[in-house]
Amino acid sequence: MSVVHRDDIGSKLGMWLFIFTEILLFGGLFITYVVYRYLHQEAFHLASQELDVAIGTINTIILLISSATIAMSITAIQQKKKKLTLALIATTILLAIVFLVNKYFEWGAKFEHGIFPGSEYLDQLGFGDVLFFGLYFFMTGLHAFHIIIGIAVLGFMYYYVKTDRLTHDNFQLLENGGLYWHLVDLIWIFLFPLFYLIA
Amino acid sequence: MSENKQNSAPKSYLEETGGRKGIFKWILSTDHKRIGLLYLYSIMAWFFIGVTLGVLMKLELIAPGKTIMGAQSYNATFTVHGVIMIFLVVIPGLPAVFGNFMLPIQIGAKDVAFPKLNLLSWYIYIAGSILVVSSLFAGGGPPDTGWTFYAPYSFKTGTNMLPAVLGAFVLGFSSILTGLNFIVTTHRLRAPGMSWMKLPVFPWAIYGTAWIQLLATPIVGITLLMVLGERIFNIGFFDPAKGGDPILFQHLFWIYSHPAVYIMILPAMGAISEIIPTFSKKTIFGYRFIVFSTLAIAFVGYFVWGHHMFTSGMSGTALFTFSILTFIVAIPSAIKVFNWVATMHQGSISTDVPFLWAASFIFVFLVGGLTGLVLGALATNVHLHDTAFVVGHFHFIVFGGTGFAFFGALHYWFPKIYGKMYDRSWAKTGWAIFFVGYIALYMPMFFLGVMGMPRRYFDYLPEYHGPNIISSLGALVMVTGFVIMVINLFRAVKTGEKAPQNPWGGTNLEWQISSPPTLENFDEIPTIDKATYKYD
Amino acid sequence: MAEEKHHITSYKTYLLVLSLLIVFTLLSVAITQIELSRWAAAAALLVAGIKSTFVLMIFMHLKYDQRMFRVMVGLIVALVVVVIIITMLDFLFR
Ligand code: HEM
Ligand SMILES: [Cu+2]
């Protein structure tokens, strides 16, 4: 190979393009949501009351904070503050885990009430509820899957910073990891009102 | 050049093995040229299988009633034929093969932006194809929904939908990553002086296509995931018994699959736009128009998906909108045809092999496009939807368009890729037989469609017999031409005479480097100071 | 190319934006709980739009990046919106 030259903007562009594909991936689900919400307004309204706004709000704030901490880690690494960078990444990962734990209990409670895709109880509730909860589980599930991937990505970032593979003049990878994490946050910013706040 | 220099001249990419042996010098290499060829060989392998299935269907249809297979086998055959041809052959087709090989060279770069990701895309492609093929052999029998996977049948049928759908999903990833790579490459790696408006048309087409791959594929990805959700968790998104709407599935499916037809045709148009000026010895006519029509097609093509659903029970407003948009999207395609013809006008044309493919492309594309308009008009569509007419239309465009352009591009760039020249008279013979067989195979379908013969049935009424005989015989003729072409190219790789650097007198960068190119394409990154397609 | 000047955003800016985001979140909850008629949901979505603009511009650095990135993001969002509208042309008028 020739001189390997680094192209930070190219790398960032690649990350953004990937983010666009994610936006469209969820876009397909948003289309579905809009259509079924329109066809079953009343039922969506009522079904949404089943969700716990408090947990939803807490989770939203958790994700927002984690988004801020990972953003700050990029400032920290540029200021050559390795310890602070690591601490910020670790905080982000921690918050992500708390988010998942909350989600686990939230889903668990629903399952206990017999609300899960394909359950007999849900089928009795009617079309609107089937679709609302179908979308709820599918979309928040896919989102949670992205959080898990995000945790893995940030774990790598932590390791790279720790081993000095990412430094103050070579941190594009960390920025890309951050971008991915903000995307996860962005999607949640929309999921939250669509599912919790339409009651 | 001194003796010494000659000896130390860099080896071609085919000789440069990076110390790897046998198959590993292919499957471990991140060289964009080798990856392009990996795709070429894998796509060709699938194409052989797809053609075989197609011929089997034609044999079944040579006479009314059961000839060689029954209804269920026929359903499985057209499904697998469609899935292979669409997802494994034409969608990766030109971008993955010639985009990979030529895009970096034509913009004056040494490789794509992310070479490792490029190789990964190929592995994902292979993984997806294995999944698709496994659906043939596992338990419940091959899928029988057609390549469109329409709900609710796709989650009610007992056949092996899971691997097929999952395979299509995985293939989507490969397509997305390739598109991502090409966009970054085009933005970041153009040689100094290669401004956007000096970019040759083929890279432009690959760039436009890459955006569609990037932005449309996720929609089918999520749709297929939802179908998997239906099958596994019984959610109800598309199940009328649970309040779901199957027509929403059609929307989501076509939001991807109409743009996908532009993934197939845009690079084909790009390749044709390279061949025509080279063999007319004339600057391409209306470069800017061609570029802008490429972008316009990519853009408007995103909003016309509903023309596949005219008889589905959509609202009148939607019918009307989609029909108008469909007519609009035909305009940029027509502009291109006009530009090609204008390029040839008063040029000094040499009817060499690539030109023959390109010229026949224009003809079949015209037929395909015009029949598309017939289908895009609401009133005629009601009569023709789901008849053999539609099959004729899209084969004229997907096979006649993309296929002819693919073979044209193959003959055009073959000397550059392998550094060898093929036997031109055999190539012409192969083309002529192929072309005649092709017309005989698909032309009758228009008549059958107008007469009312539905598509996707293993049987038909006796009054449709005549055109079906012509069509089936045409298939055999066409395959003969195809075999001649392939054997001729194979022989050329083995024993062809050495090809010069610029056999056709082309003007773009790929003709200014050795045949075959060296590992890094250019000894020194070129600086571009004159406009593209300048013939003096 | 690796030498591009990077804008360094201060911690203060991030914390300020974060508090704004939290305030907006609580605001959207408040609006919808108080039951401001059927526009509540629309208001919540509007707030979500404002929040995501902050995240995109500050956290994701679009404000300081090349214009190309802002243009692309704008077009992608427009694309999603247009596709939703066209799809609804079917369901709204059925
Ligand atoms: C002038 C431009 C075009 C127009 C106006 C057009 C119009 C149409 C319409 C209205 C249909 C639906 C027919 C029906 O099912 O009732 C259709 C089907 C189809 N078109 Fe086109 N088309 C155009 C170009 C293309 C291109 C460029 C391709 C591919 C490279 C293509 C591939 C297909 C395919 C694959 C189908 C059938 C899908 C299926 O049902 O299995 N078309 N076209
Ligand atoms: Cu179409």
Side-chain angles (χ1 to χ4, degrees):
Chain A
M1 277 280 110
S2 66
V3 214
V4 181
H5 87 139
R6 229 178 70 210
D7 178 6
D8 283 353
I9 296 185
S11 156
K12 191 191 316 188
L13 178 58
M15 192 63 212
W16 269 107
L17 296 178
F18 181 72
I19 287 179
F20 296 159
T21 69
E22 293 276 12
I23 293 180
L24 278 137
L25 191 80
F26 278 92
L29 290 169
F30 282 120
I31 296 173
T32 313
Y33 176 93
V34 172
V35 168
Y36 288 146
R37 165 109 206 275
Y38 171 74
L39 293 178
H40 305 278
Q41 292 181 19
E42 205 55 32
F44 267 48
H45 197 77
L46 294 174
S48 159
Q49 286 172 359
E50 297 281 317
L51 298 182
D52 189 332
V53 181
I55 296 196
T57 313
I58 292 172
N59 258 352
T60 308
I61 292 175
I62 288 175
L63 267 197
L64 288 174
I65 298 176
S66 76
S67 219
T69 50
I70 197 71
M72 287 194 282
S73 79
I74 290 162
T75 304
I77 199 170
Q78 278 168 292
Q79 295 174 344
K80 306 187 192 176
K81 292 180 185 151
K82 184 171 160 184
K83 275 223 181 84
L84 182 60
T85 314
L86 288 174
L88 285 166
I89 300 177
T91 317
T92 312
I93 297 180
L94 203 72
L95 289 168
I97 293 173
V98 175
F99 179 94
L100 283 182
V101 171
N102 274 345
K103 200 87 246 145
Y104 173 80
F105 283 115
E106 211 184 351
W107 275 34
K110 289 277 157 311
F111 277 48
E112 257 169 45
H113 287 89
I115 298 182
F116 52 87
S119 81
E120 262 170 48
Y121 174 68
L122 191 55
D123 283 350
Q124 284 164 9
L125 289 181
F127 289 171
D129 292 79
V130 170
L131 293 170
F132 179 87
F133 284 105
L135 279 166
Y136 167 77
F137 283 112
F138 202 85
M139 290 178 89
T140 57
L142 191 64
H143 180 259
F145 176 73
H146 279 78
I147 299 238
I148 294 171
I149 303 275
I151 291 176
V153 169
L154 295 179
F156 273 107
M157 295 307 139
Y158 185 89
Y159 175 71
Y160 286 159
V161 174
K162 191 160 177 139
T163 51
D164 286 326
R165 245 183 278 185
L166 295 178
T167 52
H168 70 99
D169 57 0
N170 177 15
F171 58 88
Q172 188 54 47
L173 220 50
L174 179 59
E175 200 170 333
N176 288 353
L179 284 176
Y180 180 83
W181 192 252
H182 297 309
L183 166 81
V184 174
D185 187 21
L186 270 182
I187 290 170
W188 185 260
I189 286 182
F190 283 94
L191 291 185
F192 173 59
L194 288 183
F195 285 109
Y196 293 82
L197 297 186
I198 57 165
Chain B
M1 223 185 260
S2 75
E3 199 70 84
N4 241 332
K5 248 214 168 127
Q6 281 285 13
N7 283 341
S8 64
K11 291 187 278 188
S12 88
Y13 78 99
L14 288 169
E15 296 153 346
E16 193 83 59
T17 58
R20 289 181 282 264
K21 292 222 160 51
I23 190 170
F24 291 109
K25 63 187 182 216
W26 291 97
I27 62 172
L28 291 180
S29 165
T30 57
D31 178 12
H32 67 103
K33 300 182 283 300
R34 280 189 188 264
I35 294 175
L37 291 188
L38 277 179
Y39 272 113
L40 176 65
Y41 303 141
S42 14
I43 286 175
M44 274 299 172
W46 293 122
F47 185 69
F48 275 119
I49 298 177
V51 167
T52 310
L53 294 172
V55 171
L56 288 178
M57 282 190 280
K58 283 281 94 173
L59 289 179
E60 167 56 36
L61 292 181
I62 204 163
K66 184 178 164 184
T67 320
I68 59 165
M69 60 174 111
Q72 184 60 28
S73 317
Y74 188 82
N75 294 351
T77 311
F78 75 67
T79 302
V80 178
H81 168 80
V83 170
I84 288 184
M85 286 306 201
I86 298 277
F87 293 110
L88 298 180
V89 178
V90 280
I91 287 188
L94 279 133
V97 177
F98 298 111
N100 251 320
F101 202 105
M102 288 301 162
L103 174 73
I105 299 183
Q106 289 195 320
I107 65 173
K110 297 190 170 183
D111 207 323
V112 293
F114 308 115
K116 282 187 199 141
L117 189 67
N118 202 11
L119 183 60
L120 180 67
S121 310
W122 181 76
Y123 277 103
I124 297 180
Y125 168 79
I126 293 296
S129 11
I130 291 175
L131 273 171
V132 167
V133 175
S134 70
S135 70
L136 293 181
F137 303 110
D144 57 351
T145 58
W147 74 280
T148 44
F149 301 130
Y150 268 17
Y153 187 60
S154 55
F155 55 87
K156 299 273 191 216
T157 169
T159 53
N160 287 320
M161 291 312 294
L162 269 183
V165 170
L166 205 61
F169 178 77
V170 171
L171 289 165
F173 257 100
S174 166
S175 188
I176 287 177
L177 293 179
T178 305
L180 186 153
N181 218 335
F182 288 172
I183 295 177
V184 179
T185 307
T186 319
H187 271 274
R188 302 300 300 167
L189 297 184
R190 279 171 290 133
M194 175 75 79
S195 61
W196 285 98
M197 281 298 138
K198 281 189 190 150
L199 209 56
V201 175
F202 185 68
W204 259 119
I206 292 292
Y207 177 74
T209 309
W211 274 107
I212 313 180
Q213 287 175 281
L214 195 81
L215 298 181
T217 318
I219 305 266
V220 78
I222 196 68
T223 313
L224 294 177
L225 270 191
M226 284 158 89
V227 171
L228 292 181
E230 295 287 282
R231 275 193 88 91
I232 302 172
F233 299 113
N234 202 0
I235 300 179
F237 288 138
F238 307 125
D239 186 352
K242 292 183 146 211
D245 187 351
I247 300 200
L248 182 63
F249 172 87
Q250 297 189 17
H251 276 294
L252 291 168
F253 182 82
W254 289 112
I255 289 176
Y256 164 72
S257 293
H258 183 81
V261 307
Y262 291 107
I263 297 179
M264 308 167 194
I265 201 70
L266 273 183
M269 293 167 156
I272 297 302
S273 307
E274 296 288 317
I275 297 174
I276 299 276
T278 303
F279 291 89
S280 310
K281 290 283 163 298
K282 234 179 102 203
T283 309
I284 195 156
F285 180 86
Y287 168 83
R288 271 165 195 272
F289 274 99
I290 295 204
V291 169
F292 288 124
S293 63
T294 301
L295 298 179
I297 289 179
F299 182 71
V300 185
Y302 213 100
F303 307 118
V304 300
W305 71 83
H307 64 214
H308 296 270
M309 306 161 57
F310 284 156
T311 58
S312 70
M314 266 192 314
S315 79
T317 318
L319 291 176
F320 180 71
T321 315
F322 282 123
S323 183
I324 293 216
L325 287 172
T326 300
F327 275 81
I328 291 178
V329 82
I331 296 173
S333 308
I335 290 182
K336 281 180 192 275
V337 173
F338 177 78
N339 280 301
W340 294 322
V341 177
T343 306
M344 290 191 264
H345 180 65
Q346 291 193 338
S348 48
I349 295 177
S350 68
T351 51
D352 220 319
V353 187
F355 181 82
L356 293 175
W357 283 107
S360 45
F361 167 94
I362 298 181
F363 172 71
V364 288
F365 181 71
L366 212 60
V367 176
L370 290 175
T371 52
L373 287 177
V374 174
L375 290 169
L378 293 171
T380 38
N381 182 277
V382 175
H383 180 64
L384 294 172
H385 176 70
D386 262 344
T387 67
F389 192 94
V390 174
V391 183
H393 156 70
F394 69 73
H395 279 91
F396 257 82
I397 293 213
V398 180
F399 194 9
T402 311
F404 279 37
F406 191 94
F407 298 143
L410 190 59
H411 284 93
Y412 180 57
W413 281 314
F414 187 91
K416 179 59 60 188
I417 295 176
Y418 292 100
K420 300 277 180 63
M421 188 48 94
Y422 45 83
D423 182 323
R424 270 128 102 174
S425 61
W426 271 113
K428 283 184 191 177
T429 314
W431 165 79
I433 297 177
F434 189 100
F435 185 63
V436 172
Y438 175 87
I439 299 288
L441 166 54
Y442 294 113
M443 218 29 130
M445 293 193 184
F446 293 126
F447 298 96
L448 287 168
V450 173
M451 285 157 70
M453 182 178 140
R455 67 190 274 211
R456 291 182 172 174
Y457 285 94
F458 80 114
D459 190 8
Y460 50 82
L461 297 176
E463 62 243 46
Y464 301 130
H465 195 185
N468 267 307
I469 298 180
I470 303 180
S471 176
S472 294
L473 294 181
L476 298 178
V477 175
M478 189 191 77
V479 170
T480 313
F482 176 66
V483 170
I484 294 178
M485 178 190 100
V486 172
I487 293 178
N488 188 38
L489 290 180
F490 253 107
R491 265 196 15 224
V493 176
K494 289 263 177 296
T495 61
E497 54 185 282
K498 201 171 161 10
Q501 181 175 322
N502 189 357
W504 319 117
T507 55
N508 286 338
L509 280 176
E510 76 264 31
W511 304 114
Q512 293 162 30
I513 58 175
S514 53
S515 302
T518 57
L519 182 62
E520 301 206 321
N521 305 337
F522 306 93
D523 302 338
E524 209 174 299
I525 292 295
T527 304
I528 284 73
D529 39 20
K530 60 172 195 165
T532 34
Y533 306 106
K534 268 269 173 287
Y535 292 88
D536 343 272
Chain C
M1 255 179 266
E3 315 307 328
E4 312 272 347
K5 259 264 161 282
H6 254 282
H7 175 94
I8 303 189
T9 316
S10 69
Y11 301 111
K12 227 171 83 194
T13 315
Y14 283 137
L15 289 175
L16 185 73
V17 172
L18 174 62
S19 22
L20 275 176
L21 287 171
I22 294 179
V23 170
F24 274 120
T25 306
L26 297 175
L27 186 73
S28 62
V29 175
I31 297 177
T32 44
Q33 296 310 91
I34 297 170
E35 203 89 26
L36 256 178
S37 83
R38 62 203 201 85
W39 295 108
L45 272 185
L46 183 73
V47 172
I50 297 173
K51 279 163 70 182
S52 47
T53 312
F54 271 114
V55 172
L56 283 164
M57 282 300 178
I58 311 293
F59 284 180
M60 298 172 98
H61 303 144
L62 274 184
K63 187 165 176 242
Y64 316 106
D65 275 334
Q66 288 84 346
R67 203 169 61 107
M68 169 179 80
F69 290 103
R70 284 193 294 276
V71 174
M72 282 183 185
V73 173
L75 288 176
I76 301 303
V77 173
L79 178 72
V80 174
V81 173
V82 172
V83 168
I84 292 183
I85 291 176
I86 296 188
T87 312
M88 284 315 284
L89 282 183
D90 176 11
F91 293 91
L92 284 174
F93 299 100
R94 233 186 232 174

